[in-house]
Short mmCIF file of all heavy atoms in Angstrom, two decimals:
data_model
loop_
_atom_site.label_atom_id
_atom_site.label_comp_id
_atom_site.label_asym_id
_atom_site.label_seq_id
_atom_site.Cartn_x
_atom_site.Cartn_y
_atom_site.Cartn_z
N MET A 1 7.08 -24.63 -107.16
CA MET A 1 5.93 -25.54 -107.27
C MET A 1 4.66 -24.81 -106.86
O MET A 1 4.65 -24.02 -105.92
CB MET A 1 6.13 -26.76 -106.38
CG MET A 1 4.98 -27.75 -106.44
SD MET A 1 5.38 -29.24 -105.53
CE MET A 1 6.74 -29.85 -106.50
N ALA A 2 3.57 -25.09 -107.54
CA ALA A 2 2.32 -24.39 -107.25
C ALA A 2 1.79 -24.78 -105.89
O ALA A 2 1.95 -25.91 -105.43
CB ALA A 2 1.28 -24.72 -108.31
N GLN A 3 1.12 -23.85 -105.26
CA GLN A 3 0.40 -24.16 -104.03
C GLN A 3 -0.91 -24.81 -104.45
O GLN A 3 -1.75 -24.17 -105.06
CB GLN A 3 0.12 -22.87 -103.26
CG GLN A 3 1.37 -22.13 -102.86
CD GLN A 3 1.85 -22.55 -101.50
OE1 GLN A 3 1.07 -23.10 -100.73
NE2 GLN A 3 3.09 -22.31 -101.19
N HIS A 4 -1.08 -26.08 -104.12
CA HIS A 4 -2.25 -26.78 -104.64
C HIS A 4 -3.48 -26.50 -103.79
O HIS A 4 -4.11 -27.38 -103.24
CB HIS A 4 -1.96 -28.27 -104.75
CG HIS A 4 -0.95 -28.55 -105.79
ND1 HIS A 4 0.24 -29.16 -105.52
CD2 HIS A 4 -0.90 -28.23 -107.10
CE1 HIS A 4 0.96 -29.26 -106.61
NE2 HIS A 4 0.29 -28.70 -107.59
N SER A 6 -4.86 -23.36 -105.04
CA SER A 6 -5.24 -22.23 -105.87
C SER A 6 -5.78 -22.65 -107.22
O SER A 6 -5.81 -21.88 -108.14
CB SER A 6 -4.01 -21.34 -106.08
OG SER A 6 -2.98 -22.07 -106.70
N PHE A 7 -6.24 -23.87 -107.36
CA PHE A 7 -6.65 -24.37 -108.65
C PHE A 7 -7.87 -23.64 -109.17
O PHE A 7 -8.88 -23.50 -108.48
CB PHE A 7 -6.93 -25.88 -108.59
CG PHE A 7 -5.69 -26.65 -108.36
CD1 PHE A 7 -5.31 -27.00 -107.09
CD2 PHE A 7 -4.86 -26.94 -109.41
CE1 PHE A 7 -4.13 -27.66 -106.87
CE2 PHE A 7 -3.67 -27.61 -109.20
CZ PHE A 7 -3.32 -27.96 -107.94
N TRP A 49 0.35 -24.89 -99.16
CA TRP A 49 1.33 -25.52 -98.29
C TRP A 49 1.96 -24.51 -97.33
O TRP A 49 2.11 -24.74 -96.17
CB TRP A 49 2.41 -26.16 -99.14
CG TRP A 49 1.92 -27.35 -99.86
CD1 TRP A 49 0.92 -28.17 -99.47
CD2 TRP A 49 2.39 -27.86 -101.10
NE1 TRP A 49 0.73 -29.15 -100.39
CE2 TRP A 49 1.63 -28.99 -101.40
CE3 TRP A 49 3.39 -27.46 -101.98
CZ2 TRP A 49 1.83 -29.74 -102.53
CZ3 TRP A 49 3.59 -28.22 -103.11
CH2 TRP A 49 2.81 -29.34 -103.38
N PRO A 53 -0.18 -18.10 -103.21
CA PRO A 53 0.51 -17.39 -104.27
C PRO A 53 -0.40 -16.43 -105.00
O PRO A 53 -1.62 -16.54 -104.91
CB PRO A 53 0.96 -18.52 -105.20
CG PRO A 53 -0.14 -19.53 -105.05
CD PRO A 53 -0.59 -19.44 -103.60
N THR A 79 -4.19 -19.91 -117.37
CA THR A 79 -2.83 -19.64 -116.92
C THR A 79 -2.59 -20.11 -115.50
O THR A 79 -1.51 -19.90 -114.96
CB THR A 79 -2.55 -18.13 -117.00
OG1 THR A 79 -3.50 -17.44 -116.17
CG2 THR A 79 -2.64 -17.63 -118.43
N ASN A 80 -3.58 -20.71 -114.86
CA ASN A 80 -3.39 -21.20 -113.50
C ASN A 80 -3.57 -22.72 -113.48
O ASN A 80 -4.15 -23.30 -114.40
CB ASN A 80 -4.39 -20.53 -112.55
CG ASN A 80 -5.81 -20.59 -113.07
OD1 ASN A 80 -6.02 -20.67 -114.27
ND2 ASN A 80 -6.78 -20.56 -112.19
N PRO A 81 -3.04 -23.41 -112.46
CA PRO A 81 -3.10 -24.88 -112.45
C PRO A 81 -4.54 -25.41 -112.45
O PRO A 81 -5.46 -24.77 -111.94
CB PRO A 81 -2.38 -25.26 -111.15
CG PRO A 81 -1.53 -24.08 -110.83
CD PRO A 81 -2.30 -22.89 -111.30
N SER A 82 -4.71 -26.59 -113.00
CA SER A 82 -6.01 -27.26 -113.04
C SER A 82 -5.97 -28.52 -112.19
O SER A 82 -4.91 -29.00 -111.80
CB SER A 82 -6.39 -27.62 -114.48
OG SER A 82 -6.59 -26.47 -115.26
N PHE A 83 -7.13 -29.07 -111.93
CA PHE A 83 -7.28 -30.29 -111.16
C PHE A 83 -7.91 -31.33 -112.08
O PHE A 83 -9.00 -31.13 -112.61
CB PHE A 83 -8.16 -30.01 -109.94
CG PHE A 83 -8.38 -31.19 -109.03
CD1 PHE A 83 -7.43 -32.19 -108.87
CD2 PHE A 83 -9.56 -31.29 -108.31
CE1 PHE A 83 -7.64 -33.25 -108.02
CE2 PHE A 83 -9.78 -32.36 -107.45
CZ PHE A 83 -8.82 -33.33 -107.30
N HIS A 84 -7.23 -32.45 -112.27
CA HIS A 84 -7.68 -33.49 -113.21
C HIS A 84 -8.04 -34.77 -112.47
O HIS A 84 -7.35 -35.16 -111.52
CB HIS A 84 -6.57 -33.82 -114.22
CG HIS A 84 -6.08 -32.64 -114.99
ND1 HIS A 84 -6.57 -32.29 -116.23
CD2 HIS A 84 -5.11 -31.73 -114.71
CE1 HIS A 84 -5.94 -31.22 -116.68
NE2 HIS A 84 -5.05 -30.86 -115.77
N ILE A 147 -2.08 -31.58 -119.91
CA ILE A 147 -1.82 -31.44 -118.48
C ILE A 147 -0.50 -30.72 -118.28
O ILE A 147 0.55 -31.18 -118.74
CB ILE A 147 -1.78 -32.82 -117.78
CG1 ILE A 147 -3.12 -33.55 -117.96
CG2 ILE A 147 -1.45 -32.67 -116.31
CD1 ILE A 147 -3.19 -34.89 -117.27
N ALA A 148 -0.54 -29.60 -117.58
CA ALA A 148 0.66 -28.81 -117.31
C ALA A 148 1.42 -29.39 -116.13
O ALA A 148 0.87 -30.14 -115.31
CB ALA A 148 0.28 -27.36 -117.04
N ASP A 149 2.69 -29.01 -116.01
CA ASP A 149 3.55 -29.56 -114.96
C ASP A 149 2.96 -29.40 -113.58
O ASP A 149 3.04 -30.31 -112.74
CB ASP A 149 4.93 -28.87 -114.99
CG ASP A 149 5.80 -29.34 -116.14
OD1 ASP A 149 5.41 -30.31 -116.82
OD2 ASP A 149 6.86 -28.74 -116.36
N GLU A 150 2.39 -28.24 -113.28
CA GLU A 150 1.93 -27.95 -111.93
C GLU A 150 0.46 -28.29 -111.70
O GLU A 150 -0.06 -28.05 -110.61
CB GLU A 150 2.19 -26.47 -111.59
CG GLU A 150 3.68 -26.16 -111.52
CD GLU A 150 3.96 -24.73 -111.11
OE1 GLU A 150 3.04 -23.88 -111.25
OE2 GLU A 150 5.06 -24.45 -110.63
N ASP A 151 -0.20 -28.86 -112.68
CA ASP A 151 -1.57 -29.32 -112.47
C ASP A 151 -1.59 -30.44 -111.44
O ASP A 151 -0.67 -31.27 -111.39
CB ASP A 151 -2.17 -29.84 -113.78
CG ASP A 151 -2.54 -28.71 -114.74
OD1 ASP A 151 -2.34 -27.53 -114.37
OD2 ASP A 151 -3.01 -29.01 -115.85
N LEU A 152 -2.63 -30.47 -110.66
CA LEU A 152 -2.81 -31.54 -109.68
C LEU A 152 -3.65 -32.65 -110.31
O LEU A 152 -4.69 -32.38 -110.92
CB LEU A 152 -3.49 -31.01 -108.43
CG LEU A 152 -3.55 -31.95 -107.22
CD1 LEU A 152 -2.14 -32.27 -106.74
CD2 LEU A 152 -4.35 -31.32 -106.09
N VAL A 153 -3.20 -33.89 -110.17
CA VAL A 153 -3.85 -35.02 -110.83
C VAL A 153 -4.24 -36.06 -109.79
O VAL A 153 -3.42 -36.45 -108.95
CB VAL A 153 -2.92 -35.66 -111.89
CG1 VAL A 153 -3.63 -36.82 -112.59
CG2 VAL A 153 -2.45 -34.62 -112.90
N GLY A 269 -1.08 -36.18 -106.95
CA GLY A 269 0.14 -35.38 -106.91
C GLY A 269 0.26 -34.49 -108.13
O GLY A 269 -0.54 -34.56 -109.06
N PRO A 270 1.28 -33.63 -108.16
CA PRO A 270 1.51 -32.77 -109.32
C PRO A 270 1.87 -33.59 -110.55
O PRO A 270 2.56 -34.61 -110.46
CB PRO A 270 2.69 -31.89 -108.88
CG PRO A 270 2.74 -32.01 -107.39
CD PRO A 270 2.23 -33.38 -107.07
N ALA A 271 1.44 -33.13 -111.70
CA ALA A 271 1.65 -33.88 -112.94
C ALA A 271 3.13 -34.14 -113.20
O ALA A 271 3.52 -35.23 -113.64
CB ALA A 271 1.02 -33.14 -114.11
N LYS A 272 3.97 -33.14 -112.95
CA LYS A 272 5.40 -33.30 -113.23
C LYS A 272 5.99 -34.46 -112.44
O LYS A 272 6.79 -35.25 -112.98
CB LYS A 272 6.13 -32.01 -112.87
CG LYS A 272 7.62 -32.04 -113.14
CD LYS A 272 8.27 -30.70 -112.79
CE LYS A 272 9.78 -30.74 -113.06
NZ LYS A 272 10.42 -29.45 -112.71
N ASP A 273 5.61 -34.60 -111.17
CA ASP A 273 6.16 -35.68 -110.35
C ASP A 273 5.54 -37.03 -110.70
O ASP A 273 6.21 -38.06 -110.61
CB ASP A 273 5.94 -35.34 -108.87
CG ASP A 273 6.64 -34.04 -108.49
OD1 ASP A 273 7.77 -33.83 -108.94
OD2 ASP A 273 6.04 -33.23 -107.77
N ARG A 275 4.65 -37.88 -113.69
CA ARG A 275 5.30 -38.30 -114.94
C ARG A 275 6.57 -39.08 -114.65
O ARG A 275 6.85 -40.11 -115.27
CB ARG A 275 5.63 -37.09 -115.80
CG ARG A 275 4.44 -36.42 -116.44
CD ARG A 275 4.88 -35.35 -117.43
NE ARG A 275 3.76 -34.52 -117.81
CZ ARG A 275 3.66 -33.23 -117.54
NH1 ARG A 275 4.64 -32.61 -116.89
NH2 ARG A 275 2.60 -32.55 -117.92
#
Side-chain angles (χ1 to χ4, degrees):
M1 180 173 295
Q3 299 269 340
H4 293 120
S6 59
F7 292 94
W49 289 333
T79 59
N80 50 334
S82 295
F83 181 31
H84 303 266
I147 300 182
D149 285 351
E150 294 184 340
D151 286 359
L152 190 63
V153 181
K272 181 179 180 180
D273 300 319
R275 288 188 193 116

